[in-house]
C-alpha cells in the first residue's frame, strides 16, 4: 500500500480517536448518572431452557468434537504458485507485415513497431492436504499441485509453521498427489478402510475452503461409487465417495473423516452450478489414494495393474437376455489378446460378479478394485457364463501405455476417407456420458466432406448405421464398405447434448 494512503489512514485514525474520547466522556457522564439506580441488572435467563441433553445426542456431539480435534493438527494448507506459459506473438524479425499493409498501404513503416510479448503473471491458489508420515509426506489432489512452479508449493501447519514442499509425484488418473516437507515428529492422521463405508455414515470434511483456515463441516456418506466424469485422462479412475458435508474451493486435498478420527477419503470435487457448495461433494477413497501414494513414494510412478477386458454395466433387459434373475455385475464386451483375462480363460459375454471376494455392480467400481492391486497379484474372479457361476483366478499384469484397464473401451481407431470422418472406440465411461449402450466416437470431421455437409460433428457418437448397431470402429468400416458409391446410409447419432437423431449420408461417387 502506498505510504501516502497509510498516512491518510493514520491521520484519520487520530482524528477519530479524539472525537471518540470526547464522545465517550460525554456518554459516560450522561449514562453514568442515568444508571446509578440499576447497578444490579442481570442479563439473560437464570437457567438454561433444557436442563438435560439426551445421552445419545451428547455422545454424538462429543464424537464430532473428538474426531475434529484428533485430525485437524495433521491437516495443512497448501499454497501453490504457478506461472502460465508465455503467449507467442510475432517478434521484430517477423512482424505482421500483411496486417499493416492491408490497412495502411505498402509504404507503412511497420518495421518501426515494437511488439514485446506480454509477460506471464504468476498465479496463486490454495488447497489442503493431510500429513500421513511423521517425516512429512503429505497426501493431496493432483489438481491442487498441477502446474506448480519450481519451489512453488508452500505448506502451512496448524501451529503456523511454514515449509517449502517438494513434489514427490502425482497421478492424473486418480487425482492423487504426494508432496513432502522436511520435518520430524509431525502430527500424523490415521487412515481408515474406505471399503467398509456405508451410505448414511456420519463424516467430517476438514480443510481450508475459501481461505477460511481449518474449517470443519459435517454430513453423511450420501452415495458410493460415483462416476462424475471429471478426470480428463484416458485411463481415469472414478469411484468417488459422495457426501453432503460442505466442500468448497480450497477443500481439495483435505481429509474426509469418520467418527473414529480416521481418514476415509481425500476431498476432490463438488457438483455445482455456481462454483460453491450445493449439497454434493466427492472424495477419492483412501484405500485407492494410499495405494497410489505408496507407489509414488517408492517408485516415483504408479505401477498400474490391468486385467484386459472391455466391460459395460448391465441393465434389466440385458440381465433377462442373459438368463440372470437380477441386473448385477458387469458384462465383458471384449477380451484383449495376451491379457491376464485371456490367459485366465475369461471370455467375451461373461458377466463378472465378484472380484477378490467383493461384489461388482458397476464398471468404474471394478476399475477401482483392479487399481487397488499390484502387478503380479493373483485375484479370484467369479463370472456368470451360460447360466452357471464359475471361479477363475487371474494374475494381474502391469499396464503399459498401449494396454487398457478394466473399464476402458475397445482400443481402436478408423478413418473413413469416403465420408470424411475419423472415429475411435468409446469406453464405458463415454457411453455412460451419452446414455448409450454402444457406439463409436467421432474424433474429427474433414471440412467440406459428406459427413460435414450432412451435419455430423466431432464429438458425436455413431450408434447405428442402417439399423445395425455399431460397437467398434472396425464394425463401422465393415458396414460402410459393404455399400457402393451412391448408396445412402441412415446414421443414428447422439450429440454431446444427448440429442439422438437420424442423419442420411450418401457415399460419394468419386472417392479417393
Amino acid at each position: 500500500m502506498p505510504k501516502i494512503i497509510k498516512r491518510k489512514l493514520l491521520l484519520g485514525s487520530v482524528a477519530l480517536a479524539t472525537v471518540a474520547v470526547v464522545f465517550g466522556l460525554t456518554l459516560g457522564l450522561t449514562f453514568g448518572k442515568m444508571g446509578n439506580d440499576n447497578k444490579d441488572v442481570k442479563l439473560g435467563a437464570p437457567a438454561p431452557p433444557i436442563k438435560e441433553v439426551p445421552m445419545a445426542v451428547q455422545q454424538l456431539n462429543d464424537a464430532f468434537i473428538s474426531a475434529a480435534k484428533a485430525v485437524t493438527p495433521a491437516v495443512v494448507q497448501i499454497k501453490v504458485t504457478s506461472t502460465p506459459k508465455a503467449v507467442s506473438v510475432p517478434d521484430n524479425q517477423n512482424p505482421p507485415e500483411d496486417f499493416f499493409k492491408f490497412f495502411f498501404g505498402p509504404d507503412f513503416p511497420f518495421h518501426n513497431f515494437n511488439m514485446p510479448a506480454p509477460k506471464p503473471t504468476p498465479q496463486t491458489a490454495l488447497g489442503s492436504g493431510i500429513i500421513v508420515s511423521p517425516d512429512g509426506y503429505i497426501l493431496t489432489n493432483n489438481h491442487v499441485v498441477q502446474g506448480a512452479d519450481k519451489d512453488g508449493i508452500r505448506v502451512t501447519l496448524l501451529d503456523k509453521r511454514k515449509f517449502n514442499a517438494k513434489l514427490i509425484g502425482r497421478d492424473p488418473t486418480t487425482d492423487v498427489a504426494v508432496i513432502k516437507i522436511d520435518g520430524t515428529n509431525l502430527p500424523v492422521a490415521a487412515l481408515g478402510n474406505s471399503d467398509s463405508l456405508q451410505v448414511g455414515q456420519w463424516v467430517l470434511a476438514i480443510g481450508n475452503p475459501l481461505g477460511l483456515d481449518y474449517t470443519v463441516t459435517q454430513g453423511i456418506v450420501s452415495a458410493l461409487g460415483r462416476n462424475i466424469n471429471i478426470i480428463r485422462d484416458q485411463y481415469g479412475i472414478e469411484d468417488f465417495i459422495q457426501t453432503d458435508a460442505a466442500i468448497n474451493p480450497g477443500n481439495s486435498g483435505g481429509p474426509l473423516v469418520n467418527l473414529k478420527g480416521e481418514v476415509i477419503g481425500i476431498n476432490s470435487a463438488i457438483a455445482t452450478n455456481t462454483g460453491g457448495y450445493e449439497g454434493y461433494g466427492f472424495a477419492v477413497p483412501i484405500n485407492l489414494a494410499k495405494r497410489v501414494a505408496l507407489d509414488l513414494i517408492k517408485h516415483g510412478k504408479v505401477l498400474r495393474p490391468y486385467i484386459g477386458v472391455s466391460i459395460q454395466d448391465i441393465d434389466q433387459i440385458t440381465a433377462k437376455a442373459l438368463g440372470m434373475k437380477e441386473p448385477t455385475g458387469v458384462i465383458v464386451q471384449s477380451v484383449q489378446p495376451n491379457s491376464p483375462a485371456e490367459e485366465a480363460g475369461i471370455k467375451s459375454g461373461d458377466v463378472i460378479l465378484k472380484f477378490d471376494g467383493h461384489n461388482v455392480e458397476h464398471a468404474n467400481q471394478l476399475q477401482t478394485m483392479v487399481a487397488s492391486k499390484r502387478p503380479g497379484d493373483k485375484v479370484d474372479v467369479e463370472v456368470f457364463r451360460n447360466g452357471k457361476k464359475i471361479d477363475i483366478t487371474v494374475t494381474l499384469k502391469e499396464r503399459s501405455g498401449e494396454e487398457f484397464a478394466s473399464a476402458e473401451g475397445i482400443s481402436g481407431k478408423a478413418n473413413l476417407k469416403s465420408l470424411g470422418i475419423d472415429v475411435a472406440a468409446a469406453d464405458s465411461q463415454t457411453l455412460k456420458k451419452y446414455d448409450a449402450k454402444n457406439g463409436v466416437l467421432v474424433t474429427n470431421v474433414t471440412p467440406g466432406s459428406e459427413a460435414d455437409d450432412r451435419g455430423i460433428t466431432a464429438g458425436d457418437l455413431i450408434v447405428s448405421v442402417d439399423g445395425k448397431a455399431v460397437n467398434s470402429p472396425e464394425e463401422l468400416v465393415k458396414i460402410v464398405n459393404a455399400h457402393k458409391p451412391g448408396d445412402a446410409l441412415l446414421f443414428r447419432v447422439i450429440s454431446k447434448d444427448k440429442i439422438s437423431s437420424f442423419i442420411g449420408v450418401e457415399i460419394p461417387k468419386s472417392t479417393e
Side-chain angles (χ1 to χ4, degrees), residues 54 65 82 261 342 367 383 440 450 464 505:
I65 294 172
S82 59
E342 184 186 63
Q367 192 177 23
V383 303
V440 295
E450 174 68 12
S464 67
V505 179

Side-chain angles (χ1 to χ4, degrees), residues 303-469:
L303 304 180
R304 190 82 67 201
Y306 84 109
I307 189 171
V309 292
S310 169
I311 56 177
Q312 184 176 320
D313 291 352
I314 292 179
D315 59 17
Q316 184 66 46
I317 295 176
T318 303
K320 184 178 180 180
L322 290 168
M324 302 175 66
K325 294 181 179 180
E326 55 183 358
T328 184
V330 292
I331 188 169
V332 177
Q333 295 177 316
S334 64
V335 179
Q336 185 182 17
N338 303 315
S339 66
E342 184 186 63
E343 292 175 357
I346 293 178
K347 299 179 179 179
S348 176
D350 284 350
V351 176
I352 298 178
L353 301 174
K354 290 185 179 182
F355 183 88
D356 197 29
H358 299 284
N359 291 332
V360 176
E361 301 293 340
H362 303 287
N364 63 309
Q365 180 188 17
L366 176 58
Q367 192 177 23
T368 301
M369 291 177 178
V370 174
S372 67
K373 298 296 181 180
R374 283 188 163 77
D377 286 351
K378 295 181 181 296
V379 183
D380 292 329
V381 178
E382 181 180 278
V383 303
F384 180 86
R385 181 190 299 166
N386 299 326
K388 298 180 180 179
K389 294 181 180 179
I390 304 172
D391 291 325
I392 298 175
T393 300
V394 179
T395 302
L396 302 178
K397 293 181 180 180
E398 183 176 359
R399 190 192 74 199
S400 68
E402 296 179 355
E403 294 161 342
F404 52 86
S406 59
E408 292 301 320
I410 303 168
S411 178
K413 297 181 180 180
N415 170 252
L416 284 83
K417 291 184 179 181
S418 61
L419 302 182
I421 57 174
D422 294 325
V423 295
D427 59 24
S428 59
Q429 291 184 10
T430 301
L431 294 175
K432 188 173 182 180
K433 180 179 177 181
Y434 285 79
D435 291 335
K437 296 180 181 180
N438 64 277
V440 295
L441 193 65
V442 178
T443 58
N444 183 64
V445 177
T446 303
S449 65
E450 174 68 12
D452 185 39
D453 290 343
R454 300 301 298 165
I456 295 177
T457 63
D460 285 345
L461 188 77
I462 299 175
V463 177
S464 67
V465 177
D466 273 1
K468 298 176 182 178

Side-chain angles (χ1 to χ4, degrees), residues 18 100 137 256 281 285 360 378 417 420:
T18 303
F100 289 112
Y137 283 107
L256 190 68
V360 176
K378 295 181 181 296
K417 291 184 179 181

Side-chain angles (χ1 to χ4, degrees), residues 38-163:
N38 299 299
K39 292 181 180 180
D40 297 329
V41 171
K42 294 182 179 180
L43 303 179
I50 301 173
K51 297 187 181 296
E52 191 171 324
V53 177
M55 182 63 70
V57 175
Q58 187 60 52
Q59 288 176 340
L60 179 61
N61 186 64
D62 291 343
F64 285 142
I65 294 172
S66 297
K69 283 184 176 179
V71 181
T72 299
V75 179
V76 302
Q77 182 192 80
I78 300 175
K79 182 177 181 181
V80 176
T81 302
S82 59
T83 304
K85 294 181 179 179
V87 178
S88 60
V89 298
D91 56 26
N92 292 331
Q93 302 301 319
N94 297 285
E97 181 175 348
D98 292 338
F99 173 84
F100 289 112
K101 285 185 176 180
F102 179 81
F103 285 102
F104 303 109
D107 297 326
F108 185 81
F110 60 86
H111 55 275
N112 291 334
F113 275 72
N114 184 17
M115 300 179 63
K119 294 182 179 179
T121 303
Q123 300 175 347
T124 59
L126 295 177
S128 305
I130 183 74
I131 302 173
V132 291
S133 74
D135 59 342
Y137 283 107
I138 296 172
L139 261 179
T140 187
N141 287 139
N142 169 70
H143 75 261
V144 169
V145 297
Q146 185 177 15
D149 293 340
K150 184 179 181 181
D151 299 325
I153 305 175
R154 186 79 167 163
V155 170
T156 302
L157 274 56
L158 180 64
D159 60 13
K160 306 302 181 184
R161 283 184 290 169
K162 297 180 183 292
F163 298 84

Side-chain angles (χ1 to χ4, degrees), residues 71 130-133 139 188-194 255-256 258 260-266 286-287 289-291 293-294:
V71 181
I130 183 74
I131 302 173
V132 291
S133 74
L139 261 179
V188 178
L191 305 183
N193 178 14
S194 54
L256 190 68
N258 63 20
K260 291 183 179 180
E262 298 172 322
V263 178
I264 47 84
I266 302 297
I286 194 61
N287 288 11
K290 182 167 61 176
R291 154 80 173 83
L294 288 172

